[in-house]
Amino acid sequence: MALSISYSFATLALISIVTLNPCIAFQYKKLNYSSSDYSDGLTWISGSATWYGAPTGAGPDDNGGGCGFKNVNLPPFNSLISCGNAAIFKGGKGCGSCYQVKCTGHPACSGQPSNIVVADECLYDICSDAEHHFDMSGTTFGSMAIPGQEDYLRHAGRMVILFARVPCNYQGMNVAFHVEEGSNPMYLALLVEHTNGDGDLALVEVLESTPGATWTPLRQSWGAIWRLDSNHPLQGPFSVRITTLTSGKTLVAENVIPADYVPNTVYESAVQFSPEL
């Protein structure tokens, strides 16, 4: 009985620490990382993984994070998201990139891959324990387990994983633009969502509906949010041109944001990248 109580207390303490410290991992013994594996056509690379937040949650309490994505507990994300260290987050330009992750070194590992999206940044030194570190939502970490053994796997806390970059595929959805709160005639901030293929962005530009208008680049504000601070009242409707980071593909959403847009509103375009890298 004493052993059972001690084990339960340790488990609760672990979950409690993870919940109170978003995107922070734990210091365990040094892990060994194997070389890449190409057995199934993907380039599987060794990295490390931890988890945070509620065991079956989406990570941070606000269901968002360092990329600015909203409601990641709901479709199409379904809580399958992760923080990434510097090599993955890329100063915010890695936001929206998609990976498959799997584990094989724990008795609860299924060895089957899970699809995840980078939606946050792993900020602390422990996230540098390997060249590539994923601090996953509890749901994501558990998804690598044999069905029914998710909690057993989460008790590992930190482990070696294999990961592979894969194209994003938001089936039945087009690229969407969330006009951020605070946008006004002199300031426009956009969150770009549901980008197939690369998933990541290197450049976002806006075209006003005025004679002789040219494409104006937005500045990356933070994460996947891009902003335009204007020296004149902006005239819509607005077309948006986006360029991906990984392969440099370009897509134009014509007149996607109306002149009478409402801040904190999503405007879905009629265009989408192909789901390939």
Side-chain angles (χ1 to χ4, degrees):
M1 177 63 71
L3 178 60
S4 176
I5 292 173
S6 175
Y7 177 76
S8 296
F9 177 80
T11 302
L12 288 171
L14 174 64
I15 293 174
S16 193
I17 292 171
V18 175
T19 302
L20 293 173
N21 293 275
C23 283
I24 186 168
F26 292 90
Q27 183 65 60
Y28 288 93
K29 65 182 181 180
K30 184 175 177 63
L31 302 178
N32 294 317
Y33 301 94
S34 62
S35 59
S36 299
D37 172 33
Y38 303 88
S39 58
D40 58 1
L42 292 176
T43 304
W44 291 97
I45 302 170
S46 290
S48 64
T50 47
W51 65 277
Y52 73 111
T56 57
D61 292 338
D62 64 356
N63 289 323
C67 291
F69 297 132
K70 277 72 172 174
N71 301 315
V72 294
N73 59 319
L74 302 176
F77 298 104
N78 296 310
S79 301
L80 292 171
I81 58 93
S82 179
C83 302
N85 69 354
I88 298 165
F89 189 71
K90 301 175 183 176
K93 287 189 169 65
C95 288
S97 53
C98 297
Y99 292 85
Q100 285 190 351
V101 293
K102 63 182 179 179
C103 68
T104 59
H106 187 280
C109 288
S110 70
Q112 298 301 308
S114 295
N115 292 298
I116 67 170
V117 180
V118 174
D120 207 345
E121 180 178 13
C122 195
L123 294 169
Y124 302 96
D125 289 343
I126 194 63
C127 302
S128 301
D129 66 322
E131 183 178 356
H132 299 92
H133 183 97
F134 293 85
D135 196 21
M136 303 173 175
S137 69
T139 298
T140 297
F141 202 91
S143 72
M144 297 185 292
I146 296 169
Q149 298 192 35
E150 293 85 356
D151 283 336
Y152 180 28
L153 184 63
R154 281 188 285 263
H155 288 159
R158 173 175 174 261
M159 65 172 59
V160 172
I161 63 164
L162 292 172
F163 71 94
R165 180 74 183 274
V166 295
C168 299
N169 187 3
Y170 296 99
Q171 294 184 8
M173 304 181 75
N174 289 325
V175 176
F177 302 91
H178 184 279
V179 178
E180 294 293 291
E181 196 71 47
S183 293
N184 59 65
M186 305 294 291
Y187 167 77
L188 181 64
L190 302 177
L191 167 66
V192 186
E193 302 179 294
H194 313 148
T195 305
N196 274 356
D198 295 355
D200 52 28
L201 293 176
L203 179 64
V204 177
E205 301 166 280
V206 164
L207 182 67
E208 296 180 68
S209 294
T210 55
T214 58
W215 289 101
T216 302
L218 279 64
R219 289 191 301 118
Q220 185 187 12
S221 185
W222 58 277
I225 296 175
W226 298 73
R227 61 183 290 170
L228 174 60
D229 297 285
S230 179
N231 59 6
H232 66 274
L234 297 167
Q235 179 64 53
F238 304 97
S239 297
V240 183
R241 183 167 66 186
I242 58 177
T243 303
T244 65
L245 178 67
T246 299
S247 59
K249 296 176 182 176
T250 297
L251 191 72
V252 175
E254 294 185 358
N255 298 324
V256 64
I257 301 172
D260 59 349
Y261 70 80
V262 178
N264 201 26
T265 300
V266 176
Y267 295 95
E268 185 173 1
S269 74
V271 294
Q272 179 61 280
F273 290 104
S274 61
E276 58 188 29
L277 290 176

